[in-house]
């Protein structure tokens, strides 16, 4: 399965006043992911991050494995967050703390 964004990347990054996605992309980014993108786009102060598109889940269900690009792009995105925040993921001092959330295009409490 091919997964891409308008920038040619597979992940959708966001930071205050900047987002590669928006609220209308709930089918592609899940409800939480689309909301984070939209809040960032609107300038609401949410920590920078990235959204993995819902297509990755479908790819795993169909192919039984993560897409070939997944590890390298997530590593690259985490490195960029480390750079932006001046913190180290897994670091002993001043660690980069992240939140990993699941989401779907429609609300599914308890999933």
């Amino acid at each position: 399965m091919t997964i891409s964004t308008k920038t040619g990347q597979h992940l959708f990054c966001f930071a205050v006043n900047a987002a590669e996605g928006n609220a209308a992309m709930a089918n592609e980014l899940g409800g939480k992911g689309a909301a984070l993108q939209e809040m960032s786009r609107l300038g609401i102060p949410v920590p920078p991050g990235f959204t993995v598109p819902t297509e990755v889940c479908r790819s795993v269900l169909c192919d039984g494995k993560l897409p070939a690009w997944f590890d390298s792009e997530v590593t690259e995105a985490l490195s960029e967050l480390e750079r932006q925040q001046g913190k180290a993921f897994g670091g002993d001092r001043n660690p980069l703390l992240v939140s990993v959330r699941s989401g779907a295009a429609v609300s599914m409490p308890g999933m």
Side-chain angles (χ1 to χ4, degrees), residues 7-70:
T7 61
Q9 297 294 307
H10 300 96
L11 305 176
F12 290 75
C13 297
F14 58 89
V16 176
N17 293 317
E20 294 178 327
N22 59 55
M25 299 176 73
N27 284 336
E28 297 156 275
L29 304 177
K32 290 180 189 95
L36 285 167
Q37 296 279 336
E38 186 69 12
M39 288 187 293
S40 296
R41 191 182 69 73
L42 294 172
I44 297 171
V46 297
F50 58 91
T51 305
V52 177
T54 57
E55 189 65 31
V56 171
C57 180
R58 288 188 287 278
S59 178
V60 171
L61 291 173
C62 289
D63 303 336
K65 59 184 178 181
L66 288 167
W69 56 264
F70 188 82

